[in-house]
Amino acid sequence: MDNVFQDNQEYLIGARKMVSTVEDLRDDLEAAKNTQKKMTKSIAQEEKSITDEINSTLKKRKDEIADSYDKQIDANNSKIKQMQSKKDKKKNERMEARIDNETAELREQNRQLKIETKTLFKQNHVPAFCNSNFYYYLFSPKGFDEILRLFFIILAFCVCVPAVVVGVLLVTKFKEGSHTAACILIAALIIIVEFILYFIIFNLTKVKHRDSIMEGRKTRNTIRANEKAIKAIKNSIAKDKDESIYNLGKYDDKIKQLTDEGNEISGQKMDALKVFESETKQVITDEIVGRRQPKVDSMKEELKQINSKISSMEERLSGLELTLTNQYETYLGKDLCTEEKLSDLIAIMEEGSASTVSEAIKIYKGDDK
């Protein structure tokens, strides 16, 4: 140790050179590691980009295949719907014709009955309004539905009409004060008048023309029974599942043909997708990888060289740091082994203020104080 401290400035110059070499190597190593990180990241990005391109290309090609067949399937389904619509239209036309044919006798009978009733009323001088549904609801109802209609007619005339009249009077004539008694009286008078009119019409029509009214009632019952029979025939025909009577075979044949074509297209679609998965998919993948992998391989080779360079630099740095520690830091101290402080020590010796390292250190530390 004593010999080192008795050395001249060449020892310090060697120490400064060693420190400078170590610092430069550390900087170079840090730069190399930064390049290593960037290169590693670039490789990962490039590999992800290749994977993304493969996935997007495969999805696009697969969708194109499916879309192509789906358009044909949709077009085929549209034709089936059109043909089914034509069949339904023709079936409805022939069903209506069947209904007309099977109900013709009943409808004709009803028409004749209506004419006979009208003629009967005219010959016996019965007012025309007596041959209306409204009249028979009021004066000769039959069946639950007509009695229910009579109930609503009575409700309208005995409740609604008086209520409307009283309401109008309250708005126009009875604006002030209480007129409850008057309102009740007016409502009662309206109902009484309605019943008087009812019995007057009853006596002038049903009583006076009893036989004609009763005959009209019988005719209406017959017509009503015929209408129920017509409705039953319509329902029976509508529920009949046998379409052979309508001669729709050509439509069924065409629909079957279109359905078979649709099934064939669906089968072709499945086959095309299977071929895509088993063959085309690998061809596309190989094409993209073959086109872009050389760049990745080149980057990996460059990274390999960088890794080798870093290993060599780390090994060299380790040796230099060991040398720096053994030859200089052990004697001078780690705090003095910097380029700046070593330069100051060298300057002291060059000025002649010290002839040995030991003297230069004493002067340097004395200056610090």
Side-chain angles (χ1 to χ4, degrees), residues 98-263:
R98 179 185 174 189
I99 291 172
D100 289 342
N101 181 58
E102 295 186 16
T103 61
E105 185 177 346
L106 292 171
R107 289 185 290 105
E108 178 60 25
Q109 185 180 356
N110 282 351
R111 191 181 71 83
Q112 290 296 333
L113 289 171
K114 289 177 182 178
I115 293 173
E116 290 172 2
T117 303
K118 186 176 181 181
T119 302
L120 176 65
F121 277 35
K122 190 173 182 180
Q123 288 175 348
N124 294 319
H125 306 290
V126 182
F129 73 86
C130 294
N131 191 26
S132 66
N133 290 332
F134 185 73
Y135 178 85
Y136 278 94
Y137 295 157
L138 281 174
F139 298 102
S140 184
K142 183 177 178 59
F144 176 77
D145 58 336
E146 292 191 4
I147 293 173
L148 185 62
R149 287 186 174 93
L150 174 61
F151 171 76
F152 284 114
I153 291 171
I154 294 172
L155 188 67
F157 277 98
C158 294
V159 178
C160 297
V161 172
V164 171
V165 173
V166 170
V168 172
L169 290 174
L170 287 174
V171 174
T172 58
K173 301 295 183 181
F174 303 150
K175 292 184 178 180
E176 298 179 359
S178 177
H179 303 281
T180 304
C183 291
I184 294 174
L185 179 61
I186 291 170
L189 288 173
I190 292 172
I191 294 171
I192 291 170
V193 169
E194 288 175 348
F195 273 100
I196 290 171
L197 289 173
Y198 178 85
F199 284 109
I200 289 173
I201 296 172
F202 180 84
N203 287 321
L204 291 176
T205 56
K206 188 171 182 181
V207 174
K208 185 178 179 180
H209 304 285
R210 182 177 179 278
D211 293 339
S212 296
I213 298 298
M214 293 304 293
E215 187 64 30
R217 177 73 268 177
K218 291 179 183 179
T219 301
R220 283 179 172 273
N221 292 342
T222 303
I223 291 173
R224 187 174 181 181
N226 289 343
E227 288 177 344
K228 286 184 178 180
I230 291 171
K231 185 176 181 181
I233 291 171
K234 286 183 178 179
N235 291 335
S236 176
I237 291 174
K239 293 178 181 179
D240 188 1
K241 301 298 182 182
D242 184 12
E243 296 182 344
S244 60
I245 191 174
Y246 303 120
N247 192 25
L248 302 171
K250 65 177 183 179
Y251 297 101
D252 291 331
D253 292 342
K254 185 61 178 177
I255 290 173
K256 183 180 184 304
Q257 178 187 344
L258 291 171
T259 301
D260 291 341
E261 290 176 0
N263 292 334

